[in-house]
Amino acid sequence: MSETPTMMVDGRAIPIAGQRNVLELCREAGIEIPSFCYHSDLSVFGACRLCLVEVEGHGVTTSCTLVPEPGLRIHTSTAEIRDMRKVGVELLLASHDMSCPTCPKGSHCKLQNLARRLGVREVPFPSATPHLPVDRSSDAIEINPNRCVLCGDCVRACQEISGTGVLDFAHRGNRATVSAAFGRSLAETECVGCGQCARVCPTGAIMPRSEVENVWRDLDDPRKTVVVQIAPAVRVAIGEAFGLAAGTVSTGQLTAALRRLGFDQVYDTAFAADLTVVEETEEFTRRLAHDERLPLLTSCCPAWVQCVERFHPGLIDNLSSCRSPQQMFGSLARRLLPERLESSPEDLVVVSIMPCTAKKTEARRPEFAGPEGPDVDHVLTTRELARMIDERGLVFDELAPEPMDLPMGFKTGAGLVFGATGGVTEAVLRHAGAVRSAGGELQGAGDPEPVRTLSVALGDRVLKLAVVHGLARARELMEEIEAGNPDGYDLVEVMACPGGCVGGAGQPPTTHPGACRARARGLAEADRSRQLHTSGANHLVRECYDELLETPGSEAAHDLLHTRYHRRPRPSDELAVVDGPAGA
Amino acid sequence: MSNSQDVLIADLAELAREHRSLADTTTHRLVVCAGSGCIASGALAVHDALVAACRAAGLDVVVSLRREDEHAHRDGAVHVSGSGCQGFCQMGPLVAVEPDGTLYVKVTPGDAGEIVASLRDGTAVERLLYREPRHGQICRRRAEIPFYELQTRRVLAECGRIDPEDVREYIAHGGYAAAWSVWHETGPDEVCARIEAAGLRGRGGGGFPTGRKWRLTLDQPGDHKCVICNGDEGDPGAFMDRSVMEGNPHSVVEGMLIAAHAVGADRGVVYVRAEYPLAVRRMRRAARDAHELGLLGDDVMGTGRPFRLEVMEGAGAFVCGEETALMASIEGHRGMPRPKPPFPSERGLHGLPTVINNVETLAAVPLIVRDGVEEFRRLGTAGSPGTKTFALTGHVANTGLIEVPFGTTLREIVETIGGGVIDDDGRPDADGFKAVQIGGPSGGCLTAEHLDLPLDFDSLGEVGAMVGSGGLVVMNRTTCMVQVARFFMQFTQNESCGKCVLCREGTRQMLGLLDRVIAGEADAATLPLLQRTARAVATASLCGLGKTAPSPVLSTLHHFGDEYAAHVDERRCPAGRCKALAVPEIVAELCRGCTICARKCPVGAITGDKKQPHVIDPDACTRCGVCAEVCKFEAVVGL
Amino acid sequence: MTTTTVSRDGLRETVRGILDDHGRDPGRLIPILQAVQEEYHYLPAPALTTVAAALGVPEARVYGVATFYAHFSLEPKGRHVIRVCDGTACHVRGSRDLLDALRAELSLGEAEQTTPDAMFTLETVSCIGACGLAPAMVVDDQIHGLLTPEAAVAILRDVRDGDEPGEEVPA
């Protein structure tokens, strides 16, 4: 038997198996060491000073910076450590606005949980809350600095995951804040709305904007016909809000819950995803035939689209002109549903349930509005919907599963895999009938690499594809492509969030590092359980073409399903700083 | 520049010989201290006046010893030069006369004629000599002045003697010989071994063995490494590093050169505090001159190996004295420390193995190489060999920059070098000693019981204090120790980078608690909470700034717990400094009943009949102090 | 010209020149900002935007750096900058009294630093290293030591009296 090296944690020998630090080792060993500023997918910051452990012979140190070593003996909960953690939490509470009962973060707030776990019964220090204004300028997220603990998670997420660096620390000492440049409101910045900052925020300081009240208002209005679309990634995550394991496919319960909430029709964004695959494949093969505007860049992710418009305007023409599934659904619903549901156009309300904050911004794009207003009226995140279900008093996991409404509730497995990184490419390859060599699976197990490349055969041509998640890595790749596309990519799929939409900022908060992977597995399982796996096989999609859209890529299809993009002004534009080395 | 080492050896020796022969042609040298302190007192005008006076007296003047100087070849000239800080800033502007060693103090331009006249007959201008205040004795030579008598100047030896802006003079005094020998004759391993054997410890605060630090960096793989000189001396009340950088910048450059060879570095950065413009200028000049002579650059002293040096000016952040924050600042980021490990020796500037040493540490390195390990260890204690510079300030008669062997006692420094404790009006106060704050905002206080403690890293550590950067602030009996703790807490609170919770929020709350003590608003919970918070901040903060921020509080609580208790329990400030706790009173025997205090009191708290003693209502009184100011009979006490 | 509005074109040219002097190296952000401040006596917002764009770093990072260091100011400063040293040595020798006297002389409130006529900015500095001359202050980069409140006010008045209208501030 080979010897696994171990170290002693609270008197127990714990095997060392390549963990990044002692904090992760302890968590794997079932000891939940508190921390605010440690995230497995961000760099180590060491600011919150809560993950303290005592190392025998070396005193107290933070476990996030401690490398596991054989023979190390540590204690995670001495009286001294417990008191120091308590002092830390008391100090944070003294500068916190303590609006806990009305804070949307609720029971997911790490600060609140920690105060409870550590037995903080009162704050001995006088209040030092700053009383700064709340920023509600963005459609995607809102920032309440009075709840900020300055852990810097959002700053690192904005730099390391989204690559935009809109948020950073400003000022210093106890005047330090997390802020956009010059204290600008988010709407005045180059924020793309991906919401990764909100996803990692341990408190209620950065939260997705809530549209729940608007949705209630329309549901309560008897004149309105309210229809809803559910994005693929929602069904494998919403269960987490009700105690189910990550990745549990709860499409049936979700549909039932939405009907109980008062939605008139429940549809699937995956239907529109099938439509997207058909259109985008047509576009791709046409561009390939003419060797123009390659690589084709996918356009399903609105944060990514904004990223190209802002930071890589030279590649705007490479973006697929296809609207995202959410917006294809919206325009189709506006065209088809008033007649079918016998609703006047102005009384039809289209709601989407998305794992995403950027979809809220996308729905406000002027390109996606008709004379009656926006194609999609309200965008709810998975967690907003969970809250509505809670408010309505439904016991989610006891609901009897119900099927979705037709036609737009019908989808193939290809429409479902959109919710995880690689899904769009997978669906397009299936539809195009591309031949993959062994190992060309895009829906494999394990955490996908940030950038995956593969070669496939399509007809007599070998195509080079790249699949990216995380905007920071995407921007690096775009710089290569701008410099001449040396690797000769034909198609690049980009999703802003780690893991794709399953890791979206609108999903239920999770501390479980494997949650994203489990959700992606749930989608793969949902794909397998469908009878059809190729978008072209969706006969209701085909019906749409027969009735309305004619053929893929037709003028009618373009009218409803495609869009245009435009360069976004940058703060430096009016200063005409054109010859900087990067960006622009 | 020189391409082969033979040429360079000749260059160095030739430069030194030439400079010495030029110096031999002059009969006298007038060295005007041009440290920041003396410049502030008008030294530059004195320099110009001396030059003018020499010319008026028909003497040849040499201002700078260069071959091209027209007067330099003539015998019998007077050499007027500037120097770095001579240490006795309070007495500036200082003018030293060589070769006889006369030192004039508080010289004005009007004195120049008399000084020059005295050169002819070898007398001294007596009224400009230092007079020892306690006994009145007149000291002609610098060595006779008690302030200098007990000092042993090694690192500062050339400060105050050579012209810091003249690389030739540094070379003439043996400069760069140590670096030359190391780069040409000694392997990196041997250099590290020598510094280890010398027992040199970091002068910037912690006292980490310099040789070991170098070896850790040497042992790291990699073709590119860095040496950083930490000149971000931010401790309020300390200016040793500034004096070295201003007074002998080439000693720092040479120390870095030796360090670079020892660890295999090809890049060096001197990071100088922005508040030290003169130090920035002189370090830049030194680096430029050394590059021009081929001492630095792509081919250091003809060895074919590179070491490029740049000088960067800080932008005003005390925390940048912390090494990881300093590197972040050099890289163009906010000066926020990051957790260690990785240590700079593993991943430092731009991710390269990096050694960071303090100015004084680096300036000591050439001395060890030149004079040998034994000579270095001859001074100081076994655990703390060598000398240490201190900035002696506060309530002592003589303030300024001093250098003493480690192990010198506090009493020797305060009594002999400092000339004893003074009261608030500057008069000697033999029994006035209360405490010394050592190591600034990161350090602690020493009390009368520590007066005979030898000052070295280990003895100070044992009593919970630290050498720190070397600030020594003497405080007399009228100092309130709660206010001292508050002063330092205010400082660290302002300077906290704001990254880690304990330092950012902890310093703010500790400051608030101290304010409550001072304002008489503390209750039984205040001091225990202060202590508990201080311990947590000290143990669990991210960086050294945070970890040491509570030291002044913990140390004053420990040594002056009674004084804190008096503030809290009796609402009384024993030193009488805390206004809110003052109990103003009119001494009936002194009061003539002139009524002026009652009329001037803004809140009507004073009552009394004409020609009768007045009284203050302590509840109505706001402790503004107007009554005490207007009273002609000094009858108001307690404010 | 220190506090007047800066022309955009002039600013762009000046800042570009500074950027070029530093090779547009993001690692030299601090020296670049120091040079900009040297030029304008503060950091005009458009200059920071220009610097960020030219270096290819987010504006928020440049703003974060500019607000971190005490020497950078995003507000225009007065024609003369008086910095009273509040280091330990100066503090125990009465720097607060200097500050109070100067503030009274300039009619500045507790929170104000610059006079309404933009003539003077009064600040404290943690230590200028002139401890042997405590208490001390720096007026336009010149150190004055061993001060009393009266002497400090006298220096301030000298500066004000010596200031002919339109005269350039000495570098």
Side-chain angles (χ1 to χ4, degrees), chain B residues 236 242 273 314-316 329 333-334 394, chain C residues 34 64 69-71 88 93 127 129:
Chain B
R242 193 200 71 183
R273 208 175 158 233
S329 185
H333 294 282
R334 294 163 60 84
Chain C
Q34 282 166 335
Y69 295 96
H71 268 236
T88 319
R93 292 239 174 147
C127 183

Side-chain angles (χ1 to χ4, degrees), chain B residues 428-597:
Chain B
D429 183 359
D431 301 323
F433 181 84
K434 182 166 188 176
V436 165
Q437 172 74 22
I438 182 164
S442 312
C445 62
L446 298 172
T447 65
E449 64 173 293
H450 303 118
L451 276 171
D452 293 309
L453 186 78
L455 293 187
D456 61 64
F457 288 111
D458 307 311
S459 312
L460 282 168
E462 279 164 27
V463 299
M466 65 189 274
V467 176
S469 52
L472 281 178
V473 185
V474 180
M475 290 172 285
N476 67 15
R477 58 176 128 199
T478 67
T479 312
C480 168
M481 297 314 284
V482 183
Q483 296 221 16
V484 169
R486 189 206 177 277
F487 169 78
F488 286 115
M489 193 54 71
Q490 170 87 61
F491 176 83
T492 33
Q493 191 231 212
N494 277 341
E495 296 296 336
S496 164
C497 78
K499 177 173 174 175
C500 97
V501 175
L502 286 166
C503 174
R504 178 185 72 235
E505 304 295 339
T507 54
R508 179 208 325 236
Q509 294 291 355
M510 285 190 283
L511 181 64
L513 293 171
L514 288 167
D515 276 337
R516 275 154 82 166
V517 174
I518 287 166
E521 291 162 4
D523 57 31
T526 308
L527 295 183
L529 182 60
L530 181 62
Q531 185 116 24
R532 174 171 171 251
T533 312
R535 289 221 178 101
V537 175
T539 311
S541 288
L542 169 59
C543 79
L545 169 68
K547 279 185 169 39
T548 56
S551 301
V553 167
L554 288 169
S555 147
T556 49
L557 269 172
H558 178 69
H559 294 299
F560 296 95
D562 293 350
E563 205 168 316
Y564 277 88
H567 282 76
V568 177
D569 302 336
E570 302 165 36
R571 298 276 185 268
R572 184 173 65 83
C573 173
R577 286 278 157 170
C578 297
K579 267 196 170 176
L581 301 179
V583 187
E585 208 183 330
I586 295 174
V587 182
E589 292 76 37
L590 296 175
C591 179
R592 305 279 183 85
C594 75
T595 75
I596 186 162
C597 58

Side-chain angles (χ1 to χ4, degrees), chain B residues 118-139:
Chain B
S118 74
L119 294 178
R120 292 198 189 266
D121 52 17
T123 57
V125 185
E126 196 175 308
R127 63 177 184 85
L128 295 175
L129 295 174
Y130 176 73
R131 180 187 295 265
E132 206 280 318
R134 278 184 295 191
H135 311 102
Q137 104 221 32
I138 289 170
C139 312

Side-chain angles (χ1 to χ4, degrees), chain B residues 303-389:
Chain B
T303 58
R305 283 172 284 137
F307 182 62
R308 284 172 298 273
L309 183 65
E310 60 183 307
V311 177
M312 172 165 169
E313 184 178 349
F318 173 71
V319 68
C320 287
E322 198 279 342
E323 53 191 17
T324 58
L326 186 147
M327 292 188 300
S329 185
I330 295 177
E331 291 170 5
H333 294 282
R334 294 163 60 84
M336 300 205 294
R338 60 155 175 80
K340 292 184 276 192
F343 290 94
S345 56
E346 306 155 282
R347 284 226 324 267
L349 189 63
H350 301 297
L352 302 171
T354 299
V355 65
I356 304 189
N357 288 130
N358 144 281
V359 171
E360 189 184 338
T361 314
L362 286 165
V365 165
L367 304 181
I368 295 171
V369 173
R370 190 191 67 192
D371 302 337
V373 169
E374 243 169 71
E375 173 62 21
F376 182 75
R377 293 198 74 105
R378 205 171 53 75
L379 294 171
T381 63
S384 308
T387 57
K388 175 79 189 87
T389 60

Side-chain angles (χ1 to χ4, degrees), chain B residues 36-38 40-41 89-90 234-239 242 271 273-276 310 312-317 319-320 329-336 393-396 399-400 422 473 475 487-488 491 495 497, chain C residues 25-31 34 38 60-61 63-72 83 86-93 95-96 124-134 138 141-146:
Chain B
S36 279
C38 283
S41 306
C89 312
Q90 184 192 14
D235 170 352
F239 53 96
R242 193 200 71 183
Y271 187 95
R273 208 175 158 233
E275 288 80 357
Y276 290 173
E310 60 183 307
M312 172 165 169
E313 184 178 349
V319 68
C320 287
S329 185
I330 295 177
E331 291 170 5
H333 294 282
R334 294 163 60 84
M336 300 205 294
T393 59
H395 295 127
V396 277
T399 61
I422 55 172
V473 185
M475 290 172 285
F487 169 78
F488 286 115
F491 176 83
E495 296 296 336
C497 78
Chain C
D25 175 1
R28 299 194 58 79
L29 178 58
I30 290 171
Q34 282 166 335
E38 180 83 25
R61 187 182 134 200
Y63 180 71
V65 168
T67 54
F68 184 85
Y69 295 96
H71 268 236
F72 293 133
R83 296 190 289 151
D86 197 24
T88 319
C90 291
H91 189 81
V92 301
R93 292 239 174 147
S95 58
R96 288 278 136 184
T124 56
V125 52
S126 52
C127 183
I128 54 171
C131 313
L133 301 177
V138 187
D141 286 343
Q142 196 186 339
I143 301 174
H144 301 267
L146 299 170

